[in-house]
Amino acid sequence: DGGITQSPKYLFRKEGQNVTLSCEQNLNHDAMYWYRQDPGQGLRLIYYSQIVNDFQKGDIAEGYSVSREKKESFPLTVTSAQKNPTAFYLCASSQGTRYGYTFGSGTRLTVV
Amino acid sequence: GESVGLHLPTLSVQEGDNSIINCAYSNSASDYFIWYKQESGKGPQFIIDIRSNMDKRQGQRVTVLLNKTVKHLSLQIAATQPGDSAVYFCAEPQGTALIFGKGTTLSVSS
């Protein structure tokens, strides 16, 4: 079955460390997105990519980095510059914004 | 700035009742809206969408209504079931990405 896979489901990070969240899709979608969700809040856009080797900053890109070397993969690195990284991170893909998104099951990141 | 929002953060209903979840938007040029359902600890799932050339669209037990005059859309769930308990978001395109409202938590009691 086609879908979008995020790993790991839970991730713990020590302060000062960089961590990378994985996102892989086999839906042949061109566009991929990363959102952050805090308790009781909506989804806020971190980065998005409409095509391989190209990506744009979203509303809250500071402290995060991404790459898009393959159509199927869009990993997100949470750097030590992100001062409040504890959150639920969601990856999504789509054929375009007029078609809605398919979301992964999320990664819950906790700083310890 | 222009954004999508929801009127109420929580909604509690009895099993079998009809539920109505509301969303207001501010961009009068918006031409496409989507409703998502998010269960606890999971990613959002697509429920139904509607384009601005429509006033109403029906799915299985769900109906979305769009009132462009007052820039309001609603999601109606018929015969609400305990499995409908979740957070519901409306979303609209802004540029090349979707923006989401803060969500309404629907609680269904038996």
Side-chain angles (χ1 to χ4, degrees), chain A residues 50-67:
Chain A
Q50 293 182 279
I51 197 168
V52 175
N53 293 322
D54 186 46
F55 48 83
Q56 287 80 41
K57 293 181 178 180
D59 299 322
I60 56 166
E62 185 175 353
Y64 301 97
S65 65
V66 293
S67 63

Side-chain angles (χ1 to χ4, degrees), chain A residues 9 33 35 37 40-43 45 48 50 56 59 88 90 97-106 108, chain B residues 31-32 34 36 38 41-46 49 51 87 89 93-103:
Chain A
K9 188 171 179 64
Y33 310 83
Y35 286 84
Q37 187 176 29
Q41 299 296 310
L43 282 65
L45 182 64
Y48 62 101
Q50 293 182 279
Q56 287 80 41
D59 299 322
F88 190 51
L90 288 159
T97 51
R98 295 302 188 272
Y99 298 93
Y101 291 178
T102 299
F103 279 91
S105 56
R108 189 168 298 280
Chain B
D31 62 354
Y32 180 59
I34 311 167
Y36 286 90
Q38 185 180 25
K42 298 183 179 180
Q45 291 179 292
F46 174 93
D49 60 1
R51 300 186 191 277
V87 181
F89 296 96
Q94 184 176 71
T96 52
L98 289 177
I99 58 168
F100 291 79
K102 291 187 176 181

Side-chain angles (χ1 to χ4, degrees), chain A residues 8-70:
Chain A
K9 188 171 179 64
Y10 299 96
L11 186 58
F12 297 88
R13 189 195 93 171
K14 293 182 179 180
E15 289 192 22
Q17 285 183 336
N18 293 352
V19 289
T20 297
L21 283 58
S22 171
C23 179
E24 303 277 335
Q25 55 100 359
N26 60 2
L27 299 165
N28 201 34
H29 286 168
D30 290 317
M32 297 187 74
Y33 310 83
W34 276 105
Y35 286 84
R36 170 181 171 140
Q37 187 176 29
D38 293 287
Q41 299 296 310
L43 282 65
R44 293 185 290 167
L45 182 64
I46 304 173
Y47 268 99
Y48 62 101
S49 168
Q50 293 182 279
I51 197 168
V52 175
N53 293 322
D54 186 46
F55 48 83
Q56 287 80 41
K57 293 181 178 180
D59 299 322
I60 56 166
E62 185 175 353
Y64 301 97
S65 65
V66 293
S67 63
R68 187 85 187 277
E69 297 176 1
K70 299 186 300 182

Side-chain angles (χ1 to χ4, degrees), chain A residues 78-96:
Chain A
V78 184
T79 75
S80 57
Q82 171 50 238
K83 298 306 178 186
N84 185 22
T86 295
F88 190 51
Y89 290 87
L90 288 159
C91 180
S93 69
S94 78
Q95 282 290 63

